[in-house]
């Protein structure tokens, strides 16, 4: 079973990029972020024609998350992160696919920091931690995949001082991610590549893709039930280099039966 996450950065604007990647990579499950489309604007027909069922929660202009399943229909279990009913941003969706509970998440960026946006980021991560603990307690096989907007370690960013004040690398952000791992979640990409420098995002500005000046922001976390089934992972870096690309590359893992 191949499970991927892809911050598409505009699902309609980059629909051709998405469809080409689906046809080439053939993932069984895809978690999408930054749809930048309302529910009615989601390209359901085109995605179904590619062989995928989908559930999604859209939002105009920014945010938006979805889960795609090849040759099946995801069973929606949750369309928001519990804990703050006043939060209307579309950042979390959860569905059952082939016996696994899949979550697609798009955590807040948090910039500029300090400030209210950074406070919202940390509060959102705390709600994610609380919900993740509840999911672990069920004993079910669970995947938390998406754009966490956290660079977990210094090696997960190219050598630079330009991000020193950025919310993505602050100690509080890294601590929030570490608290998830301390619960028992497995960082699948880092499990497969324990020593390598890995990037999943390259900003459009300052030729960062051409210079390989990247960051690792997109993560796939596995519950204990799935850790022994992990047998592969990767980053489809070439997708970042196509015409009209997102600034993120797809990240994927494979699970043995």
């Amino acid at each position: 079973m191949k499970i991927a996450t892809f911050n598409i950065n505009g699902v309609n604007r980059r629909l051709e990029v998405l469809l080409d990647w689906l046809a080439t990579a053939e993932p069984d499950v895809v978690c999408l972020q930054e749809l930048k489309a309302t529910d009615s604007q989601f390209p359901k027909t085109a995605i179904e024609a590619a062989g995928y069922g989908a559930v999604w929660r859209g939002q105009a202009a920014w945010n938006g998350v979805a889960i795609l399943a090849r040759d099946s229909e995801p069973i929606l279990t949750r369309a928001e992160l519990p804990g703050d009913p006043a939060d209307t941003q579309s950042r979390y969706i959860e569905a059952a696919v082939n016996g696994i509970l899949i979550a697609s998440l798009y955590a807040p960026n948090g910039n500029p920091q300090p400030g209210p946006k950074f406070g919202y980021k940390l509060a959102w991560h705390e709600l994610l931690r609380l919900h993740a603990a509840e999911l672990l307690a069920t004993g079910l096989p669970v995947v938390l995949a998406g754009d966490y907007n956290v660079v977990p370690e210094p090696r997960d960013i190219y050598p630079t001082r330009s991000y020193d004040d950025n919310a993505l690398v602050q100690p509080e952000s890294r601590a929030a991610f570490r608290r998830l791992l301390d619960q028992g979640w497995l960082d699948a990409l880092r499990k497969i590549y324990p020593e390598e420098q890995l990037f999943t995002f390259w900003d459009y500005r300052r030729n960062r893709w051409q210079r390989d000046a990247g960051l690792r922001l997109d993560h796939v976390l596995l519950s204990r039930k799935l850790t022994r089934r992990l047998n592969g992972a990767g980053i489809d870096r070439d997708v970042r280099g196509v015409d009209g690309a997102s600034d993120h590359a797809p990240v994927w893992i494979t699970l043995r039966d």
Side-chain angles (χ1 to χ4, degrees):
M1 188 175 187
K2 186 176 185 180
I3 301 170
T5 181
F6 190 4
N7 181 324
I8 193 63
N9 192 14
V11 68
N12 287 305
R13 183 177 181 182
R14 305 188 207 286
L15 184 58
E16 184 177 347
V17 172
L18 174 62
L19 296 176
D20 286 348
W21 172 72
L22 289 175
T24 301
E26 297 185 330
D28 297 296
V29 181
V30 182
C31 297
L32 295 177
Q33 302 86 40
E34 279 204 274
L35 302 179
K36 296 183 177 179
T38 63
D39 284 343
S40 62
Q41 292 170 333
F42 184 79
K44 177 176 182 287
T45 301
I47 287 173
E48 285 182 343
Y52 287 82
V55 292
W56 64 93
R57 184 184 175 195
Q59 187 172 342
W62 60 81
N63 301 333
V65 284
I67 297 171
L68 316 184
R70 187 157 61 119
D71 298 327
S72 66
E73 293 294 332
I75 301 171
L76 181 67
T77 58
R78 179 174 290 279
E80 69 283 317
L81 194 61
D84 184 3
D87 188 352
T88 60
Q89 296 192 34
S90 300
R91 294 187 174 276
Y92 187 92
I93 195 168
E94 202 175 272
V97 181
N98 295 331
I100 297 178
L101 192 63
I102 306 286
S104 176
L105 64 95
Y106 176 51
N109 176 281
N111 285 301
Q113 74 82 33
K117 290 186 176 180
F118 190 57
Y120 172 60
K121 176 192 186 80
L122 298 180
W124 195 94
H125 270 281
E126 176 61 11
L127 292 178
L128 176 62
R129 184 190 68 81
L130 294 172
H131 183 54
E134 293 178 351
L135 293 176
L136 272 183
T138 67
L140 295 171
V142 185
V143 175
L144 302 179
D147 179 356
Y148 285 71
N149 266 317
V150 174
V151 176
E153 302 174 89
R155 61 174 167 164
D156 294 317
I157 183 172
Y158 72 102
T160 181
R161 299 301 303 272
S162 63
Y163 276 87
D164 283 1
D165 294 327
N166 197 290
L168 306 176
V169 303
Q170 294 310 301
E172 298 93 333
S173 303
R174 287 175 167 166
F177 188 77
R178 170 53 58 183
R179 283 192 287 271
L180 284 172
L181 302 185
D182 289 344
Q183 283 182 346
W185 297 91
L186 179 71
D187 181 348
L189 203 58
R190 190 50 78 195
K191 176 66 175 179
I192 298 297
Y193 301 101
E195 304 297 334
E196 291 84 345
Q197 187 172 56
L198 304 169
F199 301 147
T200 67
F201 165 85
W202 298 258
D203 196 291
Y204 292 123
R205 296 166 293 182
R206 301 178 183 175
N207 293 316
R208 287 191 172 102
W209 166 246
Q210 292 81 358
R211 296 190 290 119
D212 196 25
L215 295 75
R216 188 168 79 101
L217 299 178
D218 306 271
H219 312 298
V220 180
L221 303 189
L222 306 181
S223 68
R224 298 183 186 95
K225 195 88 169 182
L226 292 175
T227 56
R228 292 184 179 180
R229 292 177 57 185
L230 177 68
N231 67 351
I235 303 166
D236 288 342
R237 287 174 54 108
D238 58 310
V239 178
R240 175 60 180 84
V242 303
D243 290 340
S246 169
D247 44 5
H248 293 251
V251 175
W252 54 267
I253 66 155
T254 55
L255 301 173
R256 63 174 60 89
D257 293 335

